[in-house]
Amino acid sequence: MEQPATEEAIHRGRAAVLADLTADGAAGPEEVSLLEQAVSHRRWWSEQWPAGAVFVPGLLAQDIQDALLETRGRWPLCPVCAGVEDREPHALDVEPELGEDPHWVCPVTGVAVAPVGRLAEARR
């Protein structure tokens, strides 16, 4: 039987990643379908390891990054380094990789840009 905490974490993670996709104008049908596939996989994963449910939001964000890399390229692009002449456009990382309270972080500068789910605030 599914634990309520597991399902809550899945819904919270889905909502957070969808908010970030929307903030970047990347919440089209293909991207939402990829998110649903990731949710399905993480639901199974968290059923196998219920204590890991708190990690689901960050893992979903990483899953979508990986899926979008194949279809659309790096996502989300780093706003900290945008426009800096000697820096190639690069994606933000999710930190911690496996932990609670995931944030989007610039891998070059180490600046925490926004919590996962609140990328819109960093785009203002």
Side-chain angles (χ1 to χ4, degrees):
M1 186 169 134
E2 262 181 38
Q3 296 184 1
T6 298
E7 198 59 28
E8 179 184 329
I10 290 166
H11 288 293
R12 190 174 59 252
R14 181 192 182 281
V17 174
L18 185 57
D20 288 344
L21 286 167
T22 301
D24 259 4
E30 183 178 337
E31 292 83 3
V32 173
S33 179
L34 291 170
L35 177 57
E36 293 306 322
Q37 290 172 16
V39 165
S40 178
H41 171 73
R42 291 301 171 183
R43 180 173 282 120
W44 175 87
W45 180 87
S46 60
E47 287 170 358
Q48 305 308 305
W49 186 38
V54 296
F55 307 141
V56 168
L59 291 171
L60 283 172
Q62 292 172 32
D63 291 344
I64 291 305
Q65 275 192 305
D66 292 345
L68 291 179
L69 185 59
E70 296 177 16
T71 61
R72 132 182 214 127
R74 293 173 285 217
W75 177 86
L77 291 179
C78 178
V80 174
C81 296
V84 176
E85 284 184 36
D86 61 340
R87 293 201 183 135
E88 291 286 321
H90 55 272
L92 296 170
D93 288 342
V94 176
E95 290 185 10
E97 286 186 33
L98 187 61
E100 296 180 51
D101 193 28
H103 280 68
W104 294 111
V105 176
C106 171
V108 175
T109 64
V111 171
V113 173
V116 169
R118 294 176 46 200
L119 198 54
E121 295 171 17
R123 300 286 192 223
R124 290 183 190 155

